[in-house]
Amino acid sequence: MSSNGAGRAFIGSFTSAGGRGVTVAAVDGETGALTVLGATDAVPDPSYLVLGPGPGSGSTALYAVSETESGAAAALDITGDVPQPLGEIRPVEGDGPTHLAIAGGHLITANYGSGSVTALPVRADGSLGAAASVLQHEGSGPRTDRQHAPHAHQVQPDPSGNWVLSVDLGTDSIRICALDPSSGTLRLHGETALRPGTGPRHLAFHPAGAHAYVLNELEPTVTVCRWDPATGVLEPVAETAVVPQDVVADPEAVVYPSAVVVSYDGRFLWAANRGHDSIAVLALDASGEKASLVTNVGCGGHWPRDLALDPTGQWLYAANERAGNVSWFAVDATTGIPCHRGSLTAPAASCVVFG
């Protein structure tokens, strides 16, 4: 662990593209710099990671999807600097899992290839049990090249802990689900339709809990939504571009937004744009309902697949998949604009989490 007590970062990557698997890095709290401590390739293509529950930053388990055609999820013991397998790697009974979250004593995975969501129980020792339930999405969208079928891309518990939201790129919609913690059964509560062809990929909640921001992959926009945790209803209210208008209007431009992060004080939103290779900086008004594009800054590499804010809110990190690095940025507390400070070589990097 880093000597200044700032903690550790965990970097996921595609082993099939030369990645190390799961890399553990020390975080320098003064400079934001990352230093590799160890790595494991025990899980094939661990493209997204999530820390297990634990007191404060005391989690000893890390969970990974194995983004393979057969689809699996794994638990890793992170008490040392080289993660160790914790129990069996479990099939998710779905294809190409791309994201995961902890909710109600279960690990929930979003299975992009099969367009489904799976719940697996987390055992007392942190290991995973066999899949308890699979919720299959239905539908399609107007972009036949990308939306011929459902493609669940993210799962995210809401701040109240009562709901699990699944973002589906293939059906242009967000599904709101209830999870039975005793059985692991996922029940569909409702579905929110977004503008056809936008291809929603990821969402993030405002810290006040009354708004969610959906980043769209097939159009470079973020959809602002009202969220009612009492009724489990998500209502889209506005869209804002995450690249300049001349880029939006250019039919030759290649822009595939990937990840969205909201500042801990609710004043700023950041979005990663693959192809444009930028981080969009958006200002949020006091209500959280209005988002406006301030600027775009370079991501410090190529094809930023993920963004992550460190626990202090001072440092923003971009996992640049095709550049093979993780870049860090100092966040200006007044403007929200990130300033590039350094990069760590990380082949086929796909995500960063802190703990």
Side-chain angles (χ1 to χ4, degrees):
M1 188 169 290
S2 59
S3 60
N4 62 8
R8 297 183 296 176
F10 302 91
I11 302 166
S13 63
F14 289 98
T15 55
S16 59
R20 302 183 183 113
V22 178
T23 298
V24 183
V27 183
D28 187 314
E30 296 298 322
T31 66
L34 302 177
T35 303
V36 172
L37 298 172
T40 179
D41 60 0
V43 181
D45 289 344
S47 62
Y48 267 91
L49 311 171
V50 67
L51 280 167
S57 60
S59 177
T60 59
L62 182 76
Y63 299 92
V65 292
S66 179
E67 191 176 334
T68 56
E69 186 175 351
S70 55
L76 296 167
D77 183 321
I78 53 170
T79 52
D81 288 336
V82 177
Q84 301 295 326
L86 183 60
E88 300 177 47
I89 296 179
R90 296 288 188 176
V92 298
E93 300 182 10
D95 302 337
T98 59
H99 198 264
L100 72 174
I102 297 287
H106 289 75
L107 184 73
I108 317 297
T109 68
N111 311 316
Y112 182 86
S114 54
S116 59
V117 176
T118 302
L120 304 97
V122 176
R123 294 171 166 171
D125 66 355
S127 65
L128 295 172
S133 68
V134 179
L135 180 68
Q136 180 63 51
H137 291 185
E138 303 291 341
S140 60
R143 285 279 301 269
T144 55
D145 58 332
R146 297 289 307 278
Q147 297 183 308
H148 63 284
H151 291 302
H153 216 310
Q154 185 204 29
V155 283
Q156 182 67 50
D158 86 305
S160 76
N162 294 325
W163 310 100
V164 176
L165 284 71
S166 58
V167 182
D168 196 302
L169 183 149
T171 63
D172 291 317
S173 63
I174 315 295
R175 286 168 175 80
I176 297 93
C177 301
L179 173 68
D180 184 334
S182 60
S183 67
T185 300
L186 286 159
R187 175 180 60 82
L188 181 62
H189 170 74
E191 184 174 358
T192 297
L194 302 184
R195 184 165 59 82
T198 51
R201 178 183 172 97
H202 275 204
L203 68 77
F205 282 96
H206 189 280
H211 292 86
Y213 308 94
V214 182
L215 186 65
N216 302 306
E217 178 172 334
L218 302 185
E219 292 195 13
T221 60
V222 62
T223 303
V224 180
C225 301
R226 296 189 187 114
W227 170 246
D228 185 344
T231 60
V233 173
L234 187 72
E235 177 191 3
V237 292
E239 275 187 45
T240 302
V242 293
V243 290
Q245 283 303 316
D246 62 329
V247 179
V248 174
D250 182 358
E252 301 300 318
V254 176
V255 187
Y256 294 110
S258 58
V260 58
V261 173
V262 180
S263 65
Y264 300 139
D265 61 8
R267 296 172 55 221
F268 304 108
L269 178 150
W270 300 281
N273 293 310
R274 294 169 298 175
H276 194 246
D277 290 340
S278 70
I279 299 171
V281 183
L282 284 77
L284 302 175
D285 71 351
S287 72
E289 194 154 303
K290 182 178 179 181
S292 54
L293 181 63
V294 175
T295 190
N296 293 79
V297 301
C299 67
H302 178 38
W303 214 252
R305 193 171 192 269
D306 189 39
L307 289 179
L309 194 62
D310 86 312
T312 70
Q314 297 176 313
W315 303 98
L316 185 68
Y317 295 76
N320 297 308
E321 180 183 352
R322 295 184 183 176
N325 67 26
V326 174
S327 294
W328 55 90
F329 302 78
V331 176
D332 187 296
T334 302
T335 66
I337 297 174
C339 182
H340 184 252
R341 288 289 185 257
S343 297
L344 171 74
T345 298
S350 56
C351 80
V352 183
V353 298
F354 293 93

PDB file of all heavy atoms in Angstrom, residues 84-121:
ATOM      1  N   GLN A  84      -5.608 -12.644  -5.354  1.00  0.00           N
ATOM      2  CA  GLN A  84      -5.690 -14.099  -5.404  1.00  0.00           C
ATOM      3  C   GLN A  84      -7.133 -14.530  -5.609  1.00  0.00           C
ATOM      4  O   GLN A  84      -8.048 -13.935  -5.034  1.00  0.00           O
ATOM      5  CB  GLN A  84      -5.152 -14.709  -4.100  1.00  0.00           C
ATOM      6  CG  GLN A  84      -3.713 -14.353  -3.795  1.00  0.00           C
ATOM      7  CD  GLN A  84      -2.746 -14.927  -4.804  1.00  0.00           C
ATOM      8  OE1 GLN A  84      -2.956 -16.016  -5.331  1.00  0.00           O
ATOM      9  NE2 GLN A  84      -1.670 -14.192  -5.088  1.00  0.00           N
ATOM     10  N   PRO A  85      -7.369 -15.578  -6.422  1.00  0.00           N
ATOM     11  CA  PRO A  85      -8.748 -16.055  -6.611  1.00  0.00           C
ATOM     12  C   PRO A  85      -9.391 -16.423  -5.288  1.00  0.00           C
ATOM     13  O   PRO A  85      -8.752 -17.011  -4.409  1.00  0.00           O
ATOM     14  CB  PRO A  85      -8.570 -17.279  -7.512  1.00  0.00           C
ATOM     15  CG  PRO A  85      -7.267 -17.027  -8.239  1.00  0.00           C
ATOM     16  CD  PRO A  85      -6.400 -16.307  -7.242  1.00  0.00           C
ATOM     17  N   LEU A  86     -10.646 -16.068  -5.160  1.00  0.00           N
ATOM     18  CA  LEU A  86     -11.426 -16.340  -3.951  1.00  0.00           C
ATOM     19  C   LEU A  86     -12.628 -17.175  -4.369  1.00  0.00           C
ATOM     20  O   LEU A  86     -13.615 -16.658  -4.884  1.00  0.00           O
ATOM     21  CB  LEU A  86     -11.862 -15.027  -3.305  1.00  0.00           C
ATOM     22  CG  LEU A  86     -12.631 -15.069  -1.985  1.00  0.00           C
ATOM     23  CD1 LEU A  86     -11.795 -15.740  -0.896  1.00  0.00           C
ATOM     24  CD2 LEU A  86     -13.012 -13.659  -1.559  1.00  0.00           C
ATOM     25  N   GLY A  87     -12.530 -18.493  -4.195  1.00  0.00           N
ATOM     26  CA  GLY A  87     -13.602 -19.378  -4.643  1.00  0.00           C
ATOM     27  C   GLY A  87     -13.574 -19.577  -6.153  1.00  0.00           C
ATOM     28  O   GLY A  87     -12.612 -19.223  -6.839  1.00  0.00           O
ATOM     29  N   GLU A  88     -14.643 -20.143  -6.659  1.00  0.00           N
ATOM     30  CA  GLU A  88     -14.733 -20.483  -8.077  1.00  0.00           C
ATOM     31  C   GLU A  88     -15.070 -19.265  -8.937  1.00  0.00           C
ATOM     32  O   GLU A  88     -15.758 -18.342  -8.487  1.00  0.00           O
ATOM     33  CB  GLU A  88     -15.827 -21.532  -8.298  1.00  0.00           C
ATOM     34  CG  GLU A  88     -15.637 -22.837  -7.562  1.00  0.00           C
ATOM     35  CD  GLU A  88     -16.816 -23.772  -7.787  1.00  0.00           C
ATOM     36  OE1 GLU A  88     -17.240 -23.925  -8.952  1.00  0.00           O
ATOM     37  OE2 GLU A  88     -17.328 -24.322  -6.801  1.00  0.00           O
ATOM     38  N   ILE A  89     -14.570 -19.295 -10.188  1.00  0.00           N
ATOM     39  CA  ILE A  89     -15.086 -18.368 -11.201  1.00  0.00           C
ATOM     40  C   ILE A  89     -16.442 -18.903 -11.630  1.00  0.00           C
ATOM     41  O   ILE A  89     -16.572 -20.070 -12.000  1.00  0.00           O
ATOM     42  CB  ILE A  89     -14.127 -18.266 -12.401  1.00  0.00           C
ATOM     43  CG1 ILE A  89     -12.781 -17.668 -11.961  1.00  0.00           C
ATOM     44  CG2 ILE A  89     -14.738 -17.432 -13.514  1.00  0.00           C
ATOM     45  CD1 ILE A  89     -11.762 -17.561 -13.079  1.00  0.00           C
ATOM     46  N   ARG A  90     -17.469 -18.062 -11.552  1.00  0.00           N
ATOM     47  CA  ARG A  90     -18.837 -18.522 -11.759  1.00  0.00           C
ATOM     48  C   ARG A  90     -19.405 -18.087 -13.115  1.00  0.00           C
ATOM     49  O   ARG A  90     -19.314 -16.908 -13.471  1.00  0.00           O
ATOM     50  CB  ARG A  90     -19.745 -17.966 -10.664  1.00  0.00           C
ATOM     51  CG  ARG A  90     -19.418 -18.457  -9.268  1.00  0.00           C
ATOM     52  CD  ARG A  90     -19.810 -19.907  -9.087  1.00  0.00           C
ATOM     53  NE  ARG A  90     -19.672 -20.328  -7.691  1.00  0.00           N
ATOM     54  CZ  ARG A  90     -20.023 -21.536  -7.253  1.00  0.00           C
ATOM     55  NH1 ARG A  90     -20.531 -22.429  -8.101  1.00  0.00           N
ATOM     56  NH2 ARG A  90     -19.863 -21.849  -5.984  1.00  0.00           N
ATOM     57  N   PRO A  91     -20.016 -18.999 -13.869  1.00  0.00           N
ATOM     58  CA  PRO A  91     -20.731 -18.597 -15.071  1.00  0.00           C
ATOM     59  C   PRO A  91     -21.886 -17.664 -14.717  1.00  0.00           C
ATOM     60  O   PRO A  91     -22.542 -17.831 -13.679  1.00  0.00           O
ATOM     61  CB  PRO A  91     -21.269 -19.924 -15.629  1.00  0.00           C
ATOM     62  CG  PRO A  91     -20.423 -20.985 -14.998  1.00  0.00           C
ATOM     63  CD  PRO A  91     -20.050 -20.460 -13.636  1.00  0.00           C
ATOM     64  N   VAL A  92     -22.113 -16.664 -15.569  1.00  0.00           N
ATOM     65  CA  VAL A  92     -23.225 -15.728 -15.330  1.00  0.00           C
ATOM     66  C   VAL A  92     -24.457 -16.111 -16.135  1.00  0.00           C
ATOM     67  O   VAL A  92     -25.489 -15.428 -16.071  1.00  0.00           O
ATOM     68  CB  VAL A  92     -22.822 -14.273 -15.639  1.00  0.00           C
ATOM     69  CG1 VAL A  92     -21.691 -13.826 -14.729  1.00  0.00           C
ATOM     70  CG2 VAL A  92     -22.441 -14.095 -17.112  1.00  0.00           C
ATOM     71  N   GLU A  93     -24.359 -17.205 -16.893  1.00  0.00           N
ATOM     72  CA  GLU A  93     -25.466 -17.679 -17.723  1.00  0.00           C
ATOM     73  C   GLU A  93     -25.918 -16.596 -18.698  1.00  0.00           C
ATOM     74  O   GLU A  93     -27.106 -16.412 -18.962  1.00  0.00           O
ATOM     75  CB  GLU A  93     -26.615 -18.189 -16.848  1.00  0.00           C
ATOM     76  CG  GLU A  93     -26.195 -19.341 -15.951  1.00  0.00           C
ATOM     77  CD  GLU A  93     -27.318 -19.894 -15.105  1.00  0.00           C
ATOM     78  OE1 GLU A  93     -28.484 -19.513 -15.335  1.00  0.00           O
ATOM     79  OE2 GLU A  93     -27.028 -20.714 -14.215  1.00  0.00           O
ATOM     80  N   GLY A  94     -24.933 -15.858 -19.196  1.00  0.00           N
ATOM     81  CA  GLY A  94     -25.160 -14.818 -20.194  1.00  0.00           C
ATOM     82  C   GLY A  94     -23.858 -14.559 -20.927  1.00  0.00           C
ATOM     83  O   GLY A  94     -22.775 -14.920 -20.452  1.00  0.00           O
ATOM     84  N   ASP A  95     -23.947 -13.914 -22.084  1.00  0.00           N
ATOM     85  CA  ASP A  95     -22.765 -13.710 -22.927  1.00  0.00           C
ATOM     86  C   ASP A  95     -22.181 -12.308 -22.744  1.00  0.00           C
ATOM     87  O   ASP A  95     -22.910 -11.324 -22.648  1.00  0.00           O
ATOM     88  CB  ASP A  95     -23.137 -13.873 -24.408  1.00  0.00           C
ATOM     89  CG  ASP A  95     -23.740 -15.230 -24.719  1.00  0.00           C
ATOM     90  OD1 ASP A  95     -23.492 -16.178 -23.951  1.00  0.00           O
ATOM     91  OD2 ASP A  95     -24.472 -15.332 -25.724  1.00  0.00           O
ATOM     92  N   GLY A  96     -20.847 -12.248 -22.737  1.00  0.00           N
ATOM     93  CA  GLY A  96     -20.143 -10.971 -22.770  1.00  0.00           C
ATOM     94  C   GLY A  96     -20.500  -9.996 -21.674  1.00  0.00           C
ATOM     95  O   GLY A  96     -20.877  -8.857 -21.962  1.00  0.00           O
ATOM     96  N   PRO A  97     -20.394 -10.373 -20.390  1.00  0.00           N
ATOM     97  CA  PRO A  97     -20.693  -9.417 -19.317  1.00  0.00           C
ATOM     98  C   PRO A  97     -19.732  -8.230 -19.359  1.00  0.00           C
ATOM     99  O   PRO A  97     -18.524  -8.414 -19.465  1.00  0.00           O
ATOM    100  CB  PRO A  97     -20.534 -10.235 -18.039  1.00  0.00           C
ATOM    101  CG  PRO A  97     -19.619 -11.360 -18.413  1.00  0.00           C
ATOM    102  CD  PRO A  97     -19.933 -11.674 -19.849  1.00  0.00           C
ATOM    103  N   THR A  98     -20.288  -7.021 -19.285  1.00  0.00           N
ATOM    104  CA  THR A  98     -19.486  -5.802 -19.431  1.00  0.00           C
ATOM    105  C   THR A  98     -19.427  -4.945 -18.175  1.00  0.00           C
ATOM    106  O   THR A  98     -18.636  -4.004 -18.119  1.00  0.00           O
ATOM    107  CB  THR A  98     -20.036  -4.919 -20.559  1.00  0.00           C
ATOM    108  OG1 THR A  98     -21.401  -4.582 -20.248  1.00  0.00           O
ATOM    109  CG2 THR A  98     -19.974  -5.608 -21.902  1.00  0.00           C
ATOM    110  N   HIS A  99     -20.270  -5.213 -17.199  1.00  0.00           N
ATOM    111  CA  HIS A  99     -20.320  -4.349 -16.019  1.00  0.00           C
ATOM    112  C   HIS A  99     -20.887  -5.146 -14.855  1.00  0.00           C
ATOM    113  O   HIS A  99     -21.510  -6.205 -15.052  1.00  0.00           O
ATOM    114  CB  HIS A  99     -21.205  -3.120 -16.299  1.00  0.00           C
ATOM    115  CG  HIS A  99     -20.989  -1.996 -15.332  1.00  0.00           C
ATOM    116  ND1 HIS A  99     -21.785  -1.804 -14.218  1.00  0.00           N
ATOM    117  CD2 HIS A  99     -20.067  -1.011 -15.301  1.00  0.00           C
ATOM    118  CE1 HIS A  99     -21.359  -0.744 -13.551  1.00  0.00           C
ATOM    119  NE2 HIS A  99     -20.318  -0.249 -14.190  1.00  0.00           N
ATOM    120  N   LEU A 100     -20.685  -4.641 -13.646  1.00  0.00           N
ATOM    121  CA  LEU A 100     -21.154  -5.334 -12.457  1.00  0.00           C
ATOM    122  C   LEU A 100     -21.312  -4.364 -11.298  1.00  0.00           C
ATOM    123  O   LEU A 100     -20.749  -3.265 -11.307  1.00  0.00           O
ATOM    124  CB  LEU A 100     -20.207  -6.464 -12.077  1.00  0.00           C
ATOM    125  CG  LEU A 100     -18.830  -6.137 -11.478  1.00  0.00           C
ATOM    126  CD1 LEU A 100     -18.134  -7.432 -11.038  1.00  0.00           C
ATOM    127  CD2 LEU A 100     -17.937  -5.396 -12.442  1.00  0.00           C
ATOM    128  N   ALA A 101     -22.109  -4.771 -10.316  1.00  0.00           N
ATOM    129  CA  ALA A 101     -22.368  -3.942  -9.136  1.00  0.00           C
ATOM    130  C   ALA A 101     -22.760  -4.861  -7.986  1.00  0.00           C
ATOM    131  O   ALA A 101     -23.221  -5.988  -8.195  1.00  0.00           O
ATOM    132  CB  ALA A 101     -23.478  -2.933  -9.415  1.00  0.00           C
ATOM    133  N   ILE A 102     -22.587  -4.361  -6.774  1.00  0.00           N
ATOM    134  CA  ILE A 102     -23.014  -5.071  -5.565  1.00  0.00           C
ATOM    135  C   ILE A 102     -24.326  -4.463  -5.091  1.00  0.00           C
ATOM    136  O   ILE A 102     -24.454  -3.246  -4.959  1.00  0.00           O
ATOM    137  CB  ILE A 102     -21.966  -4.945  -4.446  1.00  0.00           C
ATOM    138  CG1 ILE A 102     -20.638  -5.593  -4.854  1.00  0.00           C
ATOM    139  CG2 ILE A 102     -22.489  -5.546  -3.146  1.00  0.00           C
ATOM    140  CD1 ILE A 102     -20.646  -7.100  -4.878  1.00  0.00           C
ATOM    141  N   ALA A 103     -25.317  -5.324  -4.828  1.00  0.00           N
ATOM    142  CA  ALA A 103     -26.609  -4.863  -4.309  1.00  0.00           C
ATOM    143  C   ALA A 103     -27.279  -6.014  -3.563  1.00  0.00           C
ATOM    144  O   ALA A 103     -27.285  -7.152  -4.052  1.00  0.00           O
ATOM    145  CB  ALA A 103     -27.514  -4.385  -5.448  1.00  0.00           C
ATOM    146  N   GLY A 104     -27.829  -5.721  -2.395  1.00  0.00           N
ATOM    147  CA  GLY A 104     -28.628  -6.696  -1.660  1.00  0.00           C
ATOM    148  C   GLY A 104     -27.927  -8.022  -1.424  1.00  0.00           C
ATOM    149  O   GLY A 104     -28.557  -9.085  -1.505  1.00  0.00           O
ATOM    150  N   GLY A 105     -26.621  -7.980  -1.120  1.00  0.00           N
ATOM    151  CA  GLY A 105     -25.886  -9.211  -0.858  1.00  0.00           C
ATOM    152  C   GLY A 105     -25.613 -10.038  -2.091  1.00  0.00           C
ATOM    153  O   GLY A 105     -25.264 -11.224  -1.980  1.00  0.00           O
ATOM    154  N   HIS A 106     -25.739  -9.434  -3.260  1.00  0.00           N
ATOM    155  CA  HIS A 106     -25.519 -10.140  -4.513  1.00  0.00           C
ATOM    156  C   HIS A 106     -24.611  -9.326  -5.434  1.00  0.00           C
ATOM    157  O   HIS A 106     -24.550  -8.098  -5.330  1.00  0.00           O
ATOM    158  CB  HIS A 106     -26.841 -10.427  -5.229  1.00  0.00           C
ATOM    159  CG  HIS A 106     -27.672 -11.461  -4.554  1.00  0.00           C
ATOM    160  ND1 HIS A 106     -28.383 -11.203  -3.394  1.00  0.00           N
ATOM    161  CD2 HIS A 106     -27.890 -12.771  -4.849  1.00  0.00           C
ATOM    162  CE1 HIS A 106     -29.008 -12.308  -3.013  1.00  0.00           C
ATOM    163  NE2 HIS A 106     -28.734 -13.270  -3.880  1.00  0.00           N
ATOM    164  N   LEU A 107     -23.940 -10.045  -6.316  1.00  0.00           N
ATOM    165  CA  LEU A 107     -23.218  -9.413  -7.406  1.00  0.00           C
ATOM    166  C   LEU A 107     -24.127  -9.446  -8.632  1.00  0.00           C
ATOM    167  O   LEU A 107     -24.623 -10.514  -9.011  1.00  0.00           O
ATOM    168  CB  LEU A 107     -21.920 -10.163  -7.699  1.00  0.00           C
ATOM    169  CG  LEU A 107     -21.040  -9.530  -8.773  1.00  0.00           C
ATOM    170  CD1 LEU A 107     -20.365  -8.268  -8.246  1.00  0.00           C
ATOM    171  CD2 LEU A 107     -19.993 -10.515  -9.280  1.00  0.00           C
ATOM    172  N   ILE A 108     -24.356  -8.284  -9.218  1.00  0.00           N
ATOM    173  CA  ILE A 108     -25.231  -8.170 -10.384  1.00  0.00           C
ATOM    174  C   ILE A 108     -24.362  -7.873 -11.600  1.00  0.00           C
ATOM    175  O   ILE A 108     -23.502  -6.984 -11.548  1.00  0.00           O
ATOM    176  CB  ILE A 108     -26.269  -7.037 -10.208  1.00  0.00           C
ATOM    177  CG1 ILE A 108     -26.871  -7.053  -8.798  1.00  0.00           C
ATOM    178  CG2 ILE A 108     -27.354  -7.139 -11.272  1.00  0.00           C
ATOM    179  CD1 ILE A 108     -27.648  -8.280  -8.462  1.00  0.00           C
ATOM    180  N   THR A 109     -24.553  -8.609 -12.690  1.00  0.00           N
ATOM    181  CA  THR A 109     -23.779  -8.378 -13.902  1.00  0.00           C
ATOM    182  C   THR A 109     -24.692  -7.969 -15.049  1.00  0.00           C
ATOM    183  O   THR A 109     -25.830  -8.444 -15.160  1.00  0.00           O
ATOM    184  CB  THR A 109     -22.978  -9.624 -14.326  1.00  0.00           C
ATOM    185  OG1 THR A 109     -23.873 -10.666 -14.755  1.00  0.00           O
ATOM    186  CG2 THR A 109     -22.108 -10.125 -13.186  1.00  0.00           C
ATOM    187  N   ALA A 110     -24.186  -7.084 -15.911  1.00  0.00           N
ATOM    188  CA  ALA A 110     -24.857  -6.712 -17.155  1.00  0.00           C
ATOM    189  C   ALA A 110     -24.196  -7.488 -18.276  1.00  0.00           C
ATOM    190  O   ALA A 110     -22.994  -7.337 -18.512  1.00  0.00           O
ATOM    191  CB  ALA A 110     -24.745  -5.213 -17.398  1.00  0.00           C
ATOM    192  N   ASN A 111     -24.969  -8.317 -18.965  1.00  0.00           N
ATOM    193  CA  ASN A 111     -24.437  -9.205 -19.987  1.00  0.00           C
ATOM    194  C   ASN A 111     -24.776  -8.638 -21.362  1.00  0.00           C
ATOM    195  O   ASN A 111     -25.896  -8.783 -21.855  1.00  0.00           O
ATOM    196  CB  ASN A 111     -25.017 -10.604 -19.817  1.00  0.00           C
ATOM    197  CG  ASN A 111     -24.907 -11.100 -18.374  1.00  0.00           C
ATOM    198  OD1 ASN A 111     -23.871 -10.934 -17.736  1.00  0.00           O
ATOM    199  ND2 ASN A 111     -25.974 -11.675 -17.864  1.00  0.00           N
ATOM    200  N   TYR A 112     -23.791  -7.979 -21.973  1.00  0.00           N
ATOM    201  CA  TYR A 112     -24.021  -7.258 -23.218  1.00  0.00           C
ATOM    202  C   TYR A 112     -24.444  -8.184 -24.356  1.00  0.00           C
ATOM    203  O   TYR A 112     -25.408  -7.919 -25.074  1.00  0.00           O
ATOM    204  CB  TYR A 112     -22.750  -6.492 -23.608  1.00  0.00           C
ATOM    205  CG  TYR A 112     -22.887  -5.660 -24.859  1.00  0.00           C
ATOM    206  CD1 TYR A 112     -23.388  -4.363 -24.790  1.00  0.00           C
ATOM    207  CD2 TYR A 112     -22.515  -6.154 -26.101  1.00  0.00           C
ATOM    208  CE1 TYR A 112     -23.518  -3.586 -25.936  1.00  0.00           C
ATOM    209  CE2 TYR A 112     -22.645  -5.394 -27.255  1.00  0.00           C
ATOM    210  CZ  TYR A 112     -23.142  -4.115 -27.163  1.00  0.00           C
ATOM    211  OH  TYR A 112     -23.274  -3.355 -28.296  1.00  0.00           O
ATOM    212  N   GLY A 113     -23.723  -9.287 -24.534  1.00  0.00           N
ATOM    213  CA  GLY A 113     -23.978 -10.144 -25.676  1.00  0.00           C
ATOM    214  C   GLY A 113     -25.362 -10.746 -25.691  1.00  0.00           C
ATOM    215  O   GLY A 113     -26.019 -10.802 -26.740  1.00  0.00           O
ATOM    216  N   SER A 114     -25.828 -11.206 -24.538  1.00  0.00           N
ATOM    217  CA  SER A 114     -27.139 -11.854 -24.453  1.00  0.00           C
ATOM    218  C   SER A 114     -28.254 -10.897 -24.058  1.00  0.00           C
ATOM    219  O   SER A 114     -29.433 -11.282 -24.078  1.00  0.00           O
ATOM    220  CB  SER A 114     -27.083 -13.014 -23.451  1.00  0.00           C
ATOM    221  OG  SER A 114     -26.597 -12.572 -22.199  1.00  0.00           O
ATOM    222  N   GLY A 115     -27.904  -9.661 -23.681  1.00  0.00           N
ATOM    223  CA  GLY A 115     -28.935  -8.701 -23.302  1.00  0.00           C
ATOM    224  C   GLY A 115     -29.676  -9.108 -22.048  1.00  0.00           C
ATOM    225  O   GLY A 115     -30.915  -9.082 -22.002  1.00  0.00           O
ATOM    226  N   SER A 116     -28.936  -9.480 -21.028  1.00  0.00           N
ATOM    227  CA  SER A 116     -29.547  -9.956 -19.789  1.00  0.00           C
ATOM    228  C   SER A 116     -28.797  -9.428 -18.580  1.00  0.00           C
ATOM    229  O   SER A 116     -27.702  -8.870 -18.695  1.00  0.00           O
ATOM    230  CB  SER A 116     -29.565 -11.492 -19.756  1.00  0.00           C
ATOM    231  OG  SER A 116     -28.247 -12.017 -19.849  1.00  0.00           O
ATOM    232  N   VAL A 117     -29.398  -9.625 -17.407  1.00  0.00           N
ATOM    233  CA  VAL A 117     -28.801  -9.224 -16.133  1.00  0.00           C
ATOM    234  C   VAL A 117     -28.853 -10.425 -15.195  1.00  0.00           C
ATOM    235  O   VAL A 117     -29.888 -11.099 -15.091  1.00  0.00           O
ATOM    236  CB  VAL A 117     -29.551  -8.023 -15.521  1.00  0.00           C
ATOM    237  CG1 VAL A 117     -29.000  -7.677 -14.152  1.00  0.00           C
ATOM    238  CG2 VAL A 117     -29.470  -6.811 -16.445  1.00  0.00           C
ATOM    239  N   THR A 118     -27.746 -10.691 -14.503  1.00  0.00           N
ATOM    240  CA  THR A 118     -27.639 -11.869 -13.648  1.00  0.00           C
ATOM    241  C   THR A 118     -27.330 -11.460 -12.218  1.00  0.00           C
ATOM    242  O   THR A 118     -26.556 -10.525 -11.988  1.00  0.00           O
ATOM    243  CB  THR A 118     -26.514 -12.798 -14.154  1.00  0.00           C
ATOM    244  OG1 THR A 118     -26.778 -13.171 -15.502  1.00  0.00           O
ATOM    245  CG2 THR A 118     -26.395 -14.049 -13.298  1.00  0.00           C
ATOM    246  N   ALA A 119     -27.919 -12.178 -11.253  1.00  0.00           N
ATOM    247  CA  ALA A 119     -27.617 -11.985  -9.832  1.00  0.00           C
ATOM    248  C   ALA A 119     -26.946 -13.242  -9.289  1.00  0.00           C
ATOM    249  O   ALA A 119     -27.461 -14.351  -9.462  1.00  0.00           O
ATOM    250  CB  ALA A 119     -28.891 -11.694  -9.048  1.00  0.00           C
ATOM    251  N   LEU A 120     -25.777 -13.050  -8.657  1.00  0.00           N
ATOM    252  CA  LEU A 120     -25.066 -14.148  -8.012  1.00  0.00           C
ATOM    253  C   LEU A 120     -24.883 -13.807  -6.531  1.00  0.00           C
ATOM    254  O   LEU A 120     -24.471 -12.690  -6.201  1.00  0.00           O
ATOM    255  CB  LEU A 120     -23.686 -14.368  -8.646  1.00  0.00           C
ATOM    256  CG  LEU A 120     -23.618 -14.620 -10.140  1.00  0.00           C
ATOM    257  CD1 LEU A 120     -23.308 -13.328 -10.888  1.00  0.00           C
ATOM    258  CD2 LEU A 120     -22.568 -15.675 -10.471  1.00  0.00           C
ATOM    259  N   PRO A 121     -25.158 -14.742  -5.629  1.00  0.00           N
ATOM    260  CA  PRO A 121     -25.000 -14.448  -4.195  1.00  0.00           C
ATOM    261  C   PRO A 121     -23.541 -14.273  -3.807  1.00  0.00           C
ATOM    262  O   PRO A 121     -22.664 -14.988  -4.306  1.00  0.00           O
ATOM    263  CB  PRO A 121     -25.616 -15.668  -3.510  1.00  0.00           C
ATOM    264  CG  PRO A 121     -25.556 -16.755  -4.530  1.00  0.00           C
ATOM    265  CD  PRO A 121     -25.681 -16.098  -5.868  1.00  0.00           C
TER     266      PRO A 121
END
